[in-house]
């Protein structure tokens, strides 16, 4: 905070002379025409990574509801994971109150111990 | 560096909830001390701590959302729910005072003369300053909507102008109401009429001041480029609150100023 106060009281010209830059008006290089930035221009951090990924059709942070699969051998549930295993909770039938939990490991698809639906772990990286 | 695989915000430890709780303690006990021993020290200390807490806590939220990008779409959704729930709780707060007003005014007791307004009370003419106040708040509802559309369309100058106008209208309402309070022919001590009138309109006035402050903070943030055309929830929350304040006034005007006169 002291540094900020010092910057405020130090005349701009002195700073420019020290820095060797020519005096020119401050320009907002990225502001869109009306003067209010867009998310594309200004979003940062996790919000930016989230929005950029969604624009590419990807959902690395599991924001959207998982895609529906039939769960057969040829159309297994695809389970994205950043590691080599992930917990899966299978709702064997709609409205079941008992969830069947199991670890899904990478490699061959596994089947739910209760209803036999196929699950396959697919590795993905987090954006950074 | 380990990154989270979810879109939620696990907030860093913060001292502000504790300082807020301490402020609440000092204000309440300070109020009791003021009433019995005529000294305002404890209460003032609590008020100061409350203001410091609010400033620092909300400053931190702005840092986390705008500068650090923690307010992803799911986080924003949670904030929306939060603001809606808070405003709902405020609706219930005012419902209580309306209940008190209707309880006393629908069946006026013999002590009041069996009539409403009670005997001896000269009510304010609803078609003078109160009607102007209604127009002022309705106009401010239009200007705040104009500000919102300006932000969404990326128009910086218009957003700043319409938001400033909204705040000025809010100040105008407060000034008019303050003048009405000063000139009123009855006081809060004038029976149940005075109590219901000044407690209900008084809390409303306090909410106008709070809402104007919230909008003013949004104006400062808008001037400093915090808002984007898609992500400006702080402003939306302020606008929701402002519409709520406007609606409460409409109910006050119809019930207390007009029907109750």
């Amino acid at each position: 905070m002291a540094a900020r106060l010092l910057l405020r009281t130090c005349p701009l010209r002195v700073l420019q002379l020290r820095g060797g830059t020519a005096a020119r008006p401050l320009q907002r290089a990225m502001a869109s025409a009306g003067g209010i930035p867009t998310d594309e221009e200004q979003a940062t951090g996790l919000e930016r990574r989230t929005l950029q990924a969604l624009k590419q059709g990807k959902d690395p942070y599991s924001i959207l509801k998982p895609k529906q699969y039939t769960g057969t051998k040829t159309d297994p549930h695809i389970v994205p994971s950043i590691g080599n295993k992930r917990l899966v909770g299978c709702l064997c039938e709609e409205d079941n109150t008992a969830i069947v939990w199991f670890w899904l490991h990478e490699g061959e698809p596994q089947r739910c111990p209760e209803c036999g639906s196929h699950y396959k772990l697919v590795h993905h990286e987090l954006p950074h | 560096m380990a990154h989270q695989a979810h879109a939620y915000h696990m907030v860093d430890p913060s001292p502000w909830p504790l300082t807020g709780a301490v402020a609440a303690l000092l204000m309440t006990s300070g109020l009791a001390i003021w009433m019995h021993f005529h000294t305002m020290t404890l209460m003032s200390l609590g008020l100061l701590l409350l203001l410091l807490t609010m400033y620092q806590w909300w400053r931190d939220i702005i840092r986390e959302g705008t500068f650090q990008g923690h307010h992803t779409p799911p986080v924003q959704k949670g904030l929306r729910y939060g603001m809606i729930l808070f405003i709902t709780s405020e609706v219930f707060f005012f419902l209580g005072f309306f209940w008190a007003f209707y309880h006393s005014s629908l069946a006026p007791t013999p002590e009041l003369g069996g009539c409403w307004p009670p005997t001896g009370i000269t009510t304010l003419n609803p078609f003078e300053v109160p009607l102007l106040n209604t127009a002022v708040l309705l106009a401010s509802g239009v200007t705040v909507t104009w500000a919102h559309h300006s932000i969404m369309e990326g128009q910086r100058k218009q957003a700043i102008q319409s938001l400033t106008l909204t705040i000025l209208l809010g100040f105008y309402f407060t000034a008019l109401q303050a003048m009405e309070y000063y000139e009123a022919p009855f006081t809060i001590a004038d029976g149940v009429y005075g109590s219901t009138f000044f407690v209900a309109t008084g809390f409303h006035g306090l909410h106008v001041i709070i809402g104007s402050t919230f909008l003013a903070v949004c104006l400062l943030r808008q001037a400093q480029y915090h808002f984007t055309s898609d992500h400006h929830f702080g402003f939306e929350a302020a606008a929701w609150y402002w519409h709520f304040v406007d609606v409460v006034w409409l109910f006050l005007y119809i019930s207390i100023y007009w029907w109750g006169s």
Side-chain angles (χ1 to χ4, degrees):
Chain A
M1 193 172 117
R4 262 195 282 134
L5 281 169
L6 178 64
L7 273 168
R8 279 216 191 103
T9 53
C10 211
L12 177 67
R13 195 80 194 109
V14 178
L15 285 175
Q16 284 174 334
L17 284 169
R18 286 218 193 109
T21 56
R24 62 178 146 79
L26 268 174
Q27 271 166 348
R28 294 214 150 254
M30 291 201 298
S32 30
I36 294 185
T38 60
D39 273 345
E40 176 60 46
E41 292 162 354
Q42 193 159 288
T44 182
L46 183 61
E47 186 186 0
R48 184 173 197 86
R49 295 200 293 275
T50 303
L51 293 173
Q52 303 285 58
L54 285 170
K55 256 196 338 211
Q56 293 167 14
K58 296 195 248 176
D59 183 22
Y61 296 100
S62 306
I63 289 174
L64 306 168
K65 195 174 140 186
K67 289 225 303 267
Q68 300 272 59
Y69 301 93
T70 53
T72 59
K73 195 162 175 206
T74 44
D75 184 32
H77 295 284
I78 303 296
V79 178
S81 170
I82 53 171
N84 52 14
K85 66 179 198 283
R86 188 175 183 182
L87 260 178
V88 171
C90 186
L91 255 196
C92 300
E93 278 167 29
E94 199 180 351
D95 297 339
N96 273 9
T97 50
I99 301 175
V100 178
W101 299 99
F102 57 94
W103 281 103
L104 178 64
H105 296 268
E106 66 182 347
E108 282 301 303
Q110 289 162 226
R111 302 185 69 169
C112 167
E114 178 66 32
C115 69
S117 285
H118 294 76
Y119 289 87
K120 177 155 178 57
L121 196 80
V122 169
H123 196 81
H124 77 95
E125 290 291 336
L126 288 175
H128 42 224
Chain B
M1 192 167 94
H3 290 126
Q4 60 188 62
H6 61 84
Y8 297 102
H9 184 199
M10 305 301 284
V11 186
D12 290 328
S14 164
W16 312 131
L18 180 61
T19 60
V22 171
L25 172 67
L26 295 183
M27 284 196 303
T28 45
S29 48
L31 188 65
I33 297 288
W34 181 44
M35 288 177 182
H36 290 275
F37 304 115
H38 306 287
T39 124
M40 294 199 351
T41 317
L42 201 59
M43 192 173 65
S44 310
L45 198 55
L47 198 59
L48 176 66
L49 191 53
L50 176 71
L51 291 169
L52 284 171
T53 301
M54 292 194 295
Y55 175 73
Q56 290 173 112
W57 195 336
W58 283 323
R59 175 209 63 193
D60 283 354
I61 294 174
I62 292 171
R63 286 174 172 177
E64 291 159 2
T66 303
F67 302 147
Q68 296 182 327
H70 285 288
H71 290 180
T72 60
V75 172
Q76 224 198 109
K77 195 150 162 250
L79 293 169
R80 286 172 190 277
Y81 278 128
M83 192 64 194
I84 289 170
L85 288 170
F86 172 64
I87 291 178
T88 306
S89 77
E90 294 250 79
V91 168
F92 283 103
F93 179 70
F94 276 96
L95 264 164
F97 297 120
F98 277 100
W99 181 353
F101 169 74
Y102 278 111
H103 174 94
S104 303
S105 59
L106 283 168
T109 60
E111 289 86 350
L112 305 173
C115 55
W116 194 276
T119 312
I121 295 282
T122 2
T123 60
L124 300 169
N125 186 341
F127 300 110
E128 291 180 358
V129 175
L131 186 59
L132 173 58
N133 273 343
T134 305
V136 167
L137 281 187
L138 286 173
S140 71
V142 170
T143 53
V144 80
T145 306
W146 174 17
H148 190 196
H149 283 268
S150 302
I151 292 176
M152 291 191 291
E153 286 160 31
Q155 299 292 340
R156 175 181 168 81
K157 202 169 75 143
Q158 283 204 40
I160 290 174
Q161 284 174 349
S162 47
L163 189 45
T164 306
L165 192 47
T166 308
I167 296 165
L168 287 174
L169 286 167
F171 284 164
Y172 188 30
F173 176 95
T174 304
L176 284 168
Q177 193 70 323
M179 189 216 71
E180 281 283 273
Y181 270 30
Y182 186 70
E183 302 281 343
F186 53 86
T187 72
I188 196 171
D190 284 321
V192 76
Y193 185 89
S195 302
T196 50
F197 181 91
F198 284 107
V199 169
T201 62
F203 270 118
H204 173 262
L206 177 63
H207 283 68
V208 171
I209 293 169
I210 292 169
S212 303
T213 309
F214 196 170
L215 288 167
V217 168
C218 287
L219 179 60
L220 286 172
R221 294 186 66 200
Q222 162 59 24
Q224 293 182 61
Y225 299 93
H226 286 201
F227 300 134
T228 71
S229 43
D230 284 311
H231 188 173
H232 43 262
F233 176 65
F235 172 83
E236 289 183 70
W240 289 352
Y241 195 78
W242 192 249
H243 287 306
F244 155 71
V245 160
D246 189 7
V247 169
V248 170
W249 170 259
L250 293 175
F251 277 98
L252 281 173
Y253 180 72
I254 303 287
S255 308
I256 298 184
Y257 285 90
W258 196 350
W259 177 83
S261 70

